Amino acid sequence: MNITVLYGTETGNAEMLAEDVAAHLEGAHEVACTNLSDFAPADFDPGQFYLVICSTYGDGELPASAKPFAEAMEAEMPDLAGVHFAIFGLGDTEYEDTHNFGSRIIAEMLQARGASQIGERVLHDASGGDMADDLAMDWADSVVELAAQQMKEDA
């Protein structure tokens, strides 16, 4: 399967996790890893599966590297029908009113343009006991398997 891991980050945590997920999936799949700031909405390809890893910044805002992507999505309003994605959020429940808003904003943005989400959005809690890598590898394995089935059915 062709997989693109996209990440939105402010401090680099989402980037490091995205690179770990990409390395985990390489070998069994063709995997690219790209910062959302370097990805244009017109680049979405229905033949790819997208894993999005996004943090939250400030008062529930997108991290700096996801903002140009969000602005381009608003301006271009692409039709993402046929595009499949899964999303993993990084956040901290110490900010309970805005916990994992970054990943929620990106998921809602993609779905509003017609993309199909595979699996549930996973929400990591920096104040919790789980390591993001431990959750993300299981998440990646499960959503890639689900996506393979879904994309085969949709073809």
Side-chain angles (χ1 to χ4, degrees), residues 14 44 132 134 146:
F44 278 109
D134 294 338
L146 289 172

Side-chain angles (χ1 to χ4, degrees), residues 4-150:
T4 298
V5 181
L6 299 171
Y7 61 89
T9 192
E10 183 78 29
T11 63
N13 290 335
E15 179 180 6
M16 288 188 292
L17 183 60
E19 290 172 350
D20 289 348
V21 166
H24 174 74
L25 296 171
E26 285 176 349
H29 306 279
E30 292 291 324
V31 183
C33 187
T34 304
N35 191 328
L36 278 169
S37 66
D38 298 326
F39 189 84
D43 293 340
F44 278 109
D45 174 356
Q48 294 269 325
F49 178 50
Y50 296 91
L51 297 177
V52 183
I53 298 172
C54 190
S55 63
T56 300
Y57 189 70
D59 293 326
E61 299 156 15
L62 289 173
S65 81
K67 288 181 179 177
F69 171 79
E71 291 167 4
M73 286 284 289
E74 288 291 321
E76 297 174 23
M77 304 279 284
D79 178 2
L80 300 181
V83 171
H84 296 84
F85 75 98
I87 191 157
F88 187 100
L90 294 170
D92 191 328
T93 54
E94 284 195 26
Y95 307 96
E96 63 185 79
D97 292 338
T98 60
H99 180 238
N100 265 297
F101 273 28
S103 62
R104 186 177 87 183
I105 292 168
I106 294 293
E108 289 175 352
M109 187 176 293
L110 295 174
Q111 290 171 326
R113 303 304 321 147
S116 299
Q117 183 174 331
I118 302 291
E120 296 293 319
R121 184 169 58 106
V122 174
L123 308 177
H124 179 257
D125 176 12
S127 292
D130 295 320
M131 299 295 294
D133 274 2
D134 294 338
L135 294 175
M137 300 315 154
D138 290 342
W139 163 77
D141 289 338
S142 67
V143 294
V144 165
E145 184 176 322
L146 289 172
Q149 295 169 1
Q150 186 65 50

